[in-house]
């Protein structure tokens, strides 16, 4: 039977073929099919005959072999940076530069990458020049300069090592004789000037006297075993200026988005690597991943603001407290419209925490519309299928243009133009990278570095970088009164929050349902749970299939979603399952 003209076979353009070993390196081999259409005989550029009908044409496929480096020793990986085929393996160089800190220091890579300077020429001897380039400037040197240019441009913080910045000095020395007039040398000088300027600015800030404003509210410790004393302390002295909820929904949501944009844009993707982030709690690692820690602090600050504003006024009637709940739900909805999934997750985490979730009379005073909105927003971060819902929504938002979202903006919103965004919940990427680091070994048989693992990590880091570029188009202006109100908002610890919640609504023998949200405990939480202390997933509430009716706790249970350390708890590393990374001299 003849196939119709132009009918193609349903074959994958890239098929795995196997592996090859060469000079101690392991390559993954694939076959790439490329289509090239041929005309029937007698037709062509020099033919005088008219083209044949489409039925007489046929398709011709050309198969080419593609090799990608899967595992090798460090020296071979560095050599691949210079001599590798960029067309066959375009992702090798960016993957190496983004993930090398997980298995080798920057100084060690430079010692293998940078060639020694040429010997000095005898007096009176000059190098001949051809077309403006030295003859000594060979192909390998050009490749090294090209790699350094990408490195300086895409990962400048790799060379920040105050006060001497020795790695950057090595690069400047090499470029000084290899490409003194090139753009790479100018980039290195500009980067060094920026580092020195930052150091000078930090020194000026340290020398300026700062007035002590007392300990943070989150660090204030109430009198033990005294709920009334805790309430009195949390009320504290009279505050000056408006509170956070005194501002409009749009203003608060936009300021939260502005802060999240600034913090997320500063995140160094290499700090998100599982091998780096999982070391944060070890002794002497307080300075590990500072840009990621800043996003965690902001996340916990927003969660604390919600807890403090809802629970910080114990004398409110249920209807008044319901108004605060409704306003935070509206702020969360506005964050969703601004595509700020970070603050959205923080607000929902606080509203779903035990101290607020158990306030049945306050939730009962809410109208149907905000309750429905709360349920819909909560489904975004459902734990089912490894947070599949939030992942799909984030992917859809990445493919959505800002103009389309602008047309769907609600009436009464501020006239600011909606940015393309979105701002992701960074915990999703951190969890993926930690689990990936735990599941795949760093080294393979023969002491080979498992670079296939680094490629998978690079796929996640590349997505973070893409989102960071899109967040640069946000056009939001800071509002100092709102930022001041956010800074002075009551911050309650987990113990304080639950004690105040018990004073607002004392425990009863049984409690009606709060908002029903179907949730299941995630894989990470299941691995962290202990037999003697089971977690209570928020999905086990009345009205959820296969869930028994709960009993109001008489003591603080293990919280469903931690108020202060939610993000850190979800990303708790799995101890003992990961082989240590190799060290190099």
């Amino acid at each position: 039977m003849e196939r119709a003209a132009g009918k193609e076979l349903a074959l994958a353009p890239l098929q795995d073929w196997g592996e090859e070993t060469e000079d101690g390196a392991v390559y993954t081999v694939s076959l790439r099919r490329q289509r090239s259409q041929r005309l029937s005989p007698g037709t062509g550029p020099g033919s005088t005959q008219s083209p044949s009908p489409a039925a007489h044409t046929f398709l011709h496929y050309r198969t080419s072999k593609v090799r990608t480096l899967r595992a090798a020793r460090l020296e071979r990986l560095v050599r691949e940076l210079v001599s590798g085929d960029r067309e066959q393996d375009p992702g090798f160089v960016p993957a190496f530069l983004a993930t090398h800190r997980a298995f080798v220091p920057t100084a060690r890579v430079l010692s293998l990458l940078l060639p020694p300077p040429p010997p000095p020429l005898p007096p009176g001897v000059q190098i001949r020049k051809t077309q403006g380039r030295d003859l000594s400037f060979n192909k390998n040197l050009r490749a090294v300069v090209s790699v350094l240019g990408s490195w300086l441009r895409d990962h400048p913080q790799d060379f920040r090592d105050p006060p001497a910045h020795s790695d950057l000095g090595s690069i400047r020395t090499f470029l000084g004789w290899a490409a003194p007039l090139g753009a790479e040398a100018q980039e290195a000088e500009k980067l060094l000037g920026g580092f020195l300027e930052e150091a000078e600015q930090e020194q000026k800030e340290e020398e300026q006297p700062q007035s002590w404003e007392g300990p943070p509210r989150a660090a204030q410790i109430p009198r033990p075993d005294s709920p009334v004393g805790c309430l009195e302390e949390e009320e504290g002295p009279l505050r000056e200026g408006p509170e956070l909820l005194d501002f409009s929904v749009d203003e608060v949501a936009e300021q939260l988005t502005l802060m999240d944009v600034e913090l997320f844009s500063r995140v160094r993707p290499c700090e998100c690597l599982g091998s780096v982030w999982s070391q944060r709690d070890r002794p002497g690692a307080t300075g590990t991943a500072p840009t990621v820690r800043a996003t965690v602090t902001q996340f916990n600050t927003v969660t604390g603001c919600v807890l403090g504003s809802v629970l910080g006024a114990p004398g409110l009637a249920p209807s008044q407290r319901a108004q605060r709940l409704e306003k935070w739900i509206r702020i969360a909805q506005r964050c969703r419209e601004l595509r700020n999934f970070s603050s959205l997750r923080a607000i929902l985490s606080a509203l779903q925490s035990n101290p607020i979730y158990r306030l049945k009379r306050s939730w009962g005073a809410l109208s149907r519309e905000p309750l429905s909105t709360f349920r819909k927003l909560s489904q975004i971060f459902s734990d089912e299928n490894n947070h599949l819902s939030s992942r799909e929504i984030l992917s859809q938002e990445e493919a959505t243009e800002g103009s389309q979202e602008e047309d769907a903006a609600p009436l009464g919103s501020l006239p600011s133009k909606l940015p393309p965004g979105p701002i992701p919940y960074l915990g999703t990427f951190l969890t993926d990278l930690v689990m990936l680091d735990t599941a795949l070994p760093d080294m393979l048989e023969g002491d080979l570095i498992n670079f296939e693992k680094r490629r998978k990590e690079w796929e996640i880091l590349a997505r973070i970088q893409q989102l960071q570029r899109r967040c640069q188009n946000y056009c939001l202006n800071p509002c100092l009164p709102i930022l001041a109100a956010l800074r002075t908002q009551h911050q309650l610890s987990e113990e304080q929050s639950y004690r105040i919640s018990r004073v607002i609504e004392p425990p009863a023998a049984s409690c009606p349902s709060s908002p029903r949200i179907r949730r299941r405990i995630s894989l990470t939480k299941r691995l962290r749970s202990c037999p003697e202390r089971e977690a209570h997933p928020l999905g086990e509430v009345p009205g959820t299939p296969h869930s028994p009716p709960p009993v109001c706790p008489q003591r603080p249970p293990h919280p469903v979603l931690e108020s202060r350390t939610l993000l850190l708890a979800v990303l708790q590393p799995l101890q003992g399952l990961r082989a240590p990374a190799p060290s190099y001299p």
Side-chain angles (χ1 to χ4, degrees):
M1 184 190 310
E2 295 184 359
R3 296 195 307 269
K7 195 88 172 184
E8 298 187 49
L9 294 176
L11 297 177
L14 192 66
Q15 296 180 347
D16 295 334
W17 183 256
E19 293 183 352
E20 290 183 355
T21 302
E22 179 183 306
D23 296 338
V26 180
Y27 289 86
T28 299
V29 181
S30 303
L31 298 181
R32 177 181 297 165
R33 300 173 63 252
Q34 295 177 329
R35 191 186 71 177
S36 59
Q37 185 172 352
R38 284 188 176 181
L39 299 178
S40 58
T43 61
S47 175
T48 58
Q49 300 179 8
S50 60
S52 302
H56 296 287
T57 62
F58 63 94
L59 298 176
H60 175 73
Y61 289 90
R62 183 179 68 255
T63 302
S64 59
K65 178 181 175 182
V66 179
R67 297 200 318 171
T68 57
L69 190 60
R70 178 175 179 266
R73 295 181 181 271
L74 177 62
E75 293 78 7
R76 181 57 184 270
L77 291 176
V78 175
R79 189 170 45 186
E80 193 76 11
L81 290 173
V82 179
S83 60
D85 190 342
R86 300 286 184 91
E87 294 183 358
Q88 281 211 348
D89 193 2
F92 176 80
V93 173
F96 182 93
L97 297 180
T99 62
H100 77 278
R101 294 171 65 93
F103 56 91
V104 61
T106 299
R108 176 61 174 162
V109 177
L110 291 176
S111 66
L112 297 173
L113 179 64
L114 300 181
L121 297 175
V125 178
Q126 295 182 355
I127 298 178
R128 294 173 55 192
K129 296 184 179 181
T130 304
Q131 296 181 355
R133 284 188 177 272
D134 294 341
L135 295 178
S136 61
F137 196 81
N138 54 30
K139 180 180 178 181
N140 287 338
L141 284 180
R142 288 196 295 270
V144 172
V145 171
S146 176
V147 171
L148 292 177
S150 301
W151 202 346
L152 291 169
R153 181 178 60 255
D154 298 335
H155 308 280
Q157 292 299 321
D158 287 351
F159 309 103
R160 193 179 191 277
D161 185 21
H165 306 288
S166 56
D167 293 338
L168 185 57
S170 301
I171 293 178
R172 294 173 61 240
T173 301
F174 167 75
L175 295 176
W177 63 265
L181 302 180
E184 296 81 6
Q186 298 177 6
E187 186 71 24
E189 296 296 334
K190 179 181 178 181
L191 185 59
L192 178 61
F195 288 159
L196 297 179
E197 184 178 350
E198 290 178 5
E200 183 179 355
Q201 184 66 25
E202 292 176 358
Q203 184 177 1
K204 291 181 179 180
E205 293 178 356
E206 292 177 358
E207 294 176 354
Q208 291 179 354
Q210 297 181 356
S211 59
W212 187 71
E213 299 179 357
R217 295 185 179 272
Q220 296 176 357
I221 303 176
R223 292 193 291 271
D225 302 328
S226 175
V228 176
C230 177
L231 295 179
E232 292 177 354
E233 180 175 347
E234 292 306 322
E235 289 177 354
L238 294 178
R239 297 175 50 191
E240 297 181 0
E243 295 185 0
L244 187 60
L245 291 186
D246 292 337
F247 298 94
S248 68
V249 169
D250 292 322
E251 290 174 330
V252 175
E254 291 188 354
Q255 293 306 300
L256 293 177
T257 301
L258 176 62
M259 289 185 287
D260 288 334
V261 166
E262 293 180 353
L263 292 173
F264 178 64
S265 299
R266 297 174 185 172
V267 168
R268 295 181 60 192
C270 65
E271 295 180 3
C272 300
L273 289 170
S275 58
V276 177
W277 177 242
S278 59
Q279 307 299 316
R280 66 192 181 278
D281 294 328
R282 293 195 175 185
T286 54
T288 302
T291 61
V292 178
R293 288 179 184 269
T295 63
V296 174
T297 300
Q298 171 65 12
F299 184 96
N300 295 330
T301 298
V302 176
T303 303
C305 285
V306 179
L307 287 167
S309 62
V310 174
L311 301 175
L316 294 178
S319 59
Q320 296 173 313
R321 201 174 308 279
Q323 293 178 357
R324 299 196 172 196
L325 291 175
E326 179 179 356
K327 188 158 189 178
W328 277 115
I329 293 174
R330 292 171 58 199
I331 293 174
Q333 174 63 25
R334 182 57 178 156
C335 288
R336 172 65 183 89
E337 295 167 357
L338 290 169
R339 292 186 276 189
N340 180 4
F341 290 92
S342 182
S343 288
L344 171 61
R345 177 67 184 267
I347 296 172
L348 294 178
S349 300
L351 296 178
Q352 294 170 355
S353 63
N354 280 325
I356 292 181
Y357 186 78
R358 62 177 297 276
L359 301 178
K360 60 182 186 298
R361 288 194 291 269
S362 299
W363 285 104
L366 273 177
S367 59
R368 182 177 302 177
E369 181 179 357
L371 276 177
S372 176
T373 302
F374 177 62
R375 293 191 183 99
K376 292 178 181 178
L377 293 175
S378 299
Q379 289 303 315
I380 295 177
F381 300 103
S382 172
D383 291 340
E384 296 181 359
N385 297 325
N386 192 21
H387 303 274
L388 180 61
S389 177
S390 61
R391 296 174 188 273
E392 290 180 345
I393 292 176
L394 182 61
S395 299
Q396 294 172 2
E397 292 295 332
E398 288 184 70
T400 303
E401 297 295 336
S403 59
Q404 297 177 1
E405 289 291 327
E406 188 176 12
D407 296 337
L411 296 177
S413 61
L414 293 182
S416 60
K417 181 180 180 180
L418 284 177
I423 308 171
Y425 169 58
L426 191 60
T428 301
F429 297 110
L430 295 177
T431 302
D432 292 344
L433 289 167
V434 168
M435 299 299 288
L436 183 61
D437 182 63
T438 304
L440 300 180
D442 292 331
M443 307 294 292
L444 299 180
E445 185 178 357
D447 292 333
L448 302 181
I449 297 175
N450 184 7
F451 196 74
E452 187 65 26
K453 172 180 179 178
R454 306 307 168 189
R455 292 182 188 273
K456 295 182 182 299
E457 291 176 333
W458 160 242
E459 292 176 1
I460 301 176
L461 299 183
R463 191 179 180 193
I464 294 177
Q465 288 184 332
Q466 181 182 8
L467 289 170
Q468 287 177 322
R469 288 191 293 268
R470 296 196 59 172
C471 286
Q472 294 177 359
N473 295 327
Y474 272 92
C475 298
L476 299 172
N477 299 319
C479 180
L480 297 182
I482 298 180
L483 298 178
L486 181 66
R487 184 181 61 84
T488 59
Q489 177 65 50
H490 287 291
Q491 296 285 326
L492 303 179
S493 66
E494 296 173 14
E495 182 181 358
Q496 289 173 332
S497 300
Y498 195 81
R499 291 171 64 187
I500 295 177
S501 177
R502 286 166 58 91
V503 171
I504 295 174
E505 293 190 20
S510 61
C511 54
S513 62
S514 292
R516 301 183 179 117
I517 306 168
R518 184 175 180 179
R519 296 180 63 86
R520 295 179 182 175
I521 192 166
S522 64
L523 174 63
T524 308
K525 295 179 184 177
R526 284 200 300 268
L527 294 175
R528 293 181 58 248
S529 62
C530 300
E532 66 274 8
R533 188 176 184 182
E534 294 291 338
H536 301 277
L538 198 59
E540 296 182 0
V541 295
T544 308
H546 311 293
S547 60
V551 178
C552 284
Q554 302 301 322
R555 59 182 177 83
H558 180 68
V560 178
L561 295 172
E562 304 282 355
S563 60
R564 181 174 56 86
T565 58
L566 167 75
L567 187 55
L568 294 176
V570 173
L571 303 174
Q572 191 73 17
L574 306 178
Q575 300 293 338
L577 298 181
R578 178 180 174 274
S583 59
Y584 296 92

